[in-house]
Amino acid sequence: MRVTRTLTSDGALRLVLDRALVTLAERWVPEEPGGATSHRATGALIDVRCSTRPAPRCPTAATFSLGSVRAWVDEPRGVVRLGGALASSGGAVSLATRRAQLRVDAASGDRAATDLYSMLTIAAALLVAGLGRALVHAAAVLAPDGAAWLLVGDARAGKSTTCANLARGGGGGGGGGVWGFLSDDQVVLAATEQGIVVEGWLRSFHLDEGWERGEVSGRRRAIHPGALGLGGRQRAASLAGIVLPVVEPAQPTTLAPSSAGQALAALVRQSPWLLAHRTIAELGIALLSRAAQRPAFSLTLGLDTYRDPVRLRALFTAAGCGPPPPVARATARARPPGQPAGAPPEPARLATAP
C-alpha cells in the first residue's frame, strides 16, 4: 500500500511513500494544504520506498551535506545523488524529470527517520527550485494587515518562539489588530506579478518546555499549534519584509533596520541547496534577491519579550512591521516648552525592560 501527500497548495509537488514509512516520515511531512489540486502530468514527485539493500555511494567527496545526509551533484546529467548515515538510506533527485527516488529501511527506527528527514528536505528543495520557487529554512508570521514577515536565522535563533509569541493573542490577518502565522520552520517563496508569495509548510512548533510560563528550561519539545491556542493560521500571504532574529537573553529586545545585503546573505544561508546546480542557482538567487529588497530588520531577542509577548508585538508595531494602533481623537495639546510651532512630535519609544 502507498500513501500520497500534496506538499504545495497548487498540487505541483507531491510525496508518495510506502505505508510502512508513514511513521518515519511524519515529523517531516507538513500539514496538507486544503483545496490542493493534482498536477500528475507536469508536477514534481518524491517517491520513497522501503529497502534494506545498501544504497549506491559515490567514491568522491560530497558536494554538500545536510544533517546526516551527503549529496553528490552530477552537473552534466542534472542529477543529485543522496546518501544517509545508514547504508540503506539513499536515492537520487533528477532535475530534468522533476522526480526524486528515495529509499530507507523502515525497521531502522530513529536513525532511518533522521536520514529520511534530511533526504526529504533536500529532494523537496531541489524540486521546488526546479519549479522556479525557493524552499527556505525560515518561520513566517502574519501581520494584522494580512502580509507575511519572514523570520530568517539559524537553528535556535528564536524563530519558533517569536512566531508563537506574536501569534499568541489569537485571531488572524486582515486588519483585526492581531497576529497570525504561516509556519515556524520552512516556507516556500514564489514570484508573482504582484510580488513575492510566502507559502508556509506547517509542522509542530519546537519550543522550550517553559515557554508558556515565560521560563527557560533548556529543553525543547514539539507541540502542535492547535495545542498552543494559537490563532490566525493561514497557508499563504504576500511578503511584507524580513526579520533576522538572534537570541541575546541578557539584553533588552531591540528591532533595528537592516540592509538588503544582510537580508540576502541570511536567505542564501538558509537555502544552500539553491547553489547545488547551475540550472536552479540563477533563478533561485534572483528570487531571493527580489525578496531581500523588501524592508528588513535585525531582531535582538531578550528575556523581556520572551516573558511578555505584548511587548514584542508593540515593538514590531512601533518599527512599522504591522499596522499602527488606533489613534483616539482628542483636542489639541499645548506644545512642550521649547518646541517650535509645526515641529513633529517626539518619536514613540518602547519602555525599557525592567
Side-chain angles (χ1 to χ4, degrees):
M1 293 289 293
R2 313 215 72 204
V3 176
T4 301
R5 293 287 184 266
T6 302
L7 300 179
T8 56
S9 57
D10 62 355
L13 177 61
R14 293 177 297 119
L15 168 67
V16 179
L17 70 165
D18 291 345
R19 184 171 294 277
L21 296 173
V22 169
T23 300
L24 291 184
E26 64 182 358
R27 189 167 65 92
W28 183 88
V29 177
E31 287 192 4
E32 199 161 17
T37 56
S38 178
H39 288 211
R40 295 182 183 276
T42 59
L45 176 68
I46 303 174
D47 188 332
V48 190
R49 297 179 182 271
C50 297
S51 176
T52 58
R53 294 179 301 166
R57 289 291 195 272
C58 296
T60 58
T63 308
F64 68 95
S65 63
L66 178 67
S68 61
V69 174
R70 292 174 294 168
W72 293 266
V73 178
D74 186 337
E75 188 88 27
R77 292 183 174 85
V79 173
V80 180
R81 305 191 184 280
L82 306 178
L86 295 174
S88 54
S89 300
V93 184
S94 172
L95 299 176
T97 64
R98 295 179 179 173
R99 294 291 186 273
Q101 294 182 323
L102 309 178
R103 62 173 66 174
V104 69
D105 182 6
S108 294
D110 290 344
R111 295 181 66 193
T114 299
D115 282 347
L116 184 56
Y117 192 100
S118 294
M119 288 195 299
L120 285 170
T121 297
I122 294 173
L126 294 174
L127 293 177
V128 159
L131 298 171
R133 309 174 197 184
L135 178 66
V136 182
H137 174 223
V141 292
L142 192 67
D145 61 2
W149 286 84
L150 289 187
L151 301 167
V152 186
D154 293 338
R156 296 184 178 270
K159 300 185 299 296
S160 296
T161 302
T162 301
C163 185
N165 276 341
L166 285 172
R168 187 185 285 192
V178 289
W179 290 74
F181 66 99
L182 279 73
S183 173
D184 88 312
D185 185 60
Q186 288 181 345
V187 299
V188 175
L189 305 184
T192 68
E193 292 182 359
Q194 292 73 33
I196 304 295
V197 173
V198 183
E199 181 174 340
W201 280 11
L202 180 64
R203 302 183 181 92
S204 292
F205 280 54
H206 287 81
L207 299 168
D208 190 278
E209 291 182 357
W211 169 75
E212 290 178 288
R213 302 185 303 274
E215 301 172 357
V216 179
S217 70
R219 300 180 301 274
R220 289 160 66 90
R221 63 186 176 116
I223 314 174
H224 190 275
L228 296 173
L230 303 183
R233 160 64 174 149
Q234 189 166 306
R235 180 70 188 192
S238 297
L239 176 65
I242 296 168
V243 177
L244 311 176
V246 62
V247 175
E248 294 287 351
Q251 301 296 322
T253 299
T254 60
L255 190 64
S258 189
S259 69
Q262 290 173 310
L264 177 59
L267 287 169
V268 172
R269 180 178 174 85
Q270 301 306 324
S271 51
W273 34 77
L274 287 177
L275 305 179
H277 196 280
R278 61 186 175 185
T279 61
I280 61 175
E282 184 176 352
L283 287 176
I285 294 300
L287 175 57
L288 296 186
S289 297
R290 184 176 172 187
Q293 296 304 311
R294 303 300 299 164
F297 293 87
S298 296
L299 174 64
T300 301
L301 289 163
L303 286 177
D304 54 344
T305 52
Y306 179 76
R307 295 174 176 140
D308 186 359
V310 174
R311 181 184 293 271
L312 181 66
R313 290 192 288 271
L315 187 62
F316 268 67
T317 299
C321 298
V327 178
R329 296 184 179 275
T331 56
R333 296 179 300 171
R335 294 191 305 273
Q339 178 174 307
E346 287 293 316
R349 292 183 173 88
L350 193 67
T352 56

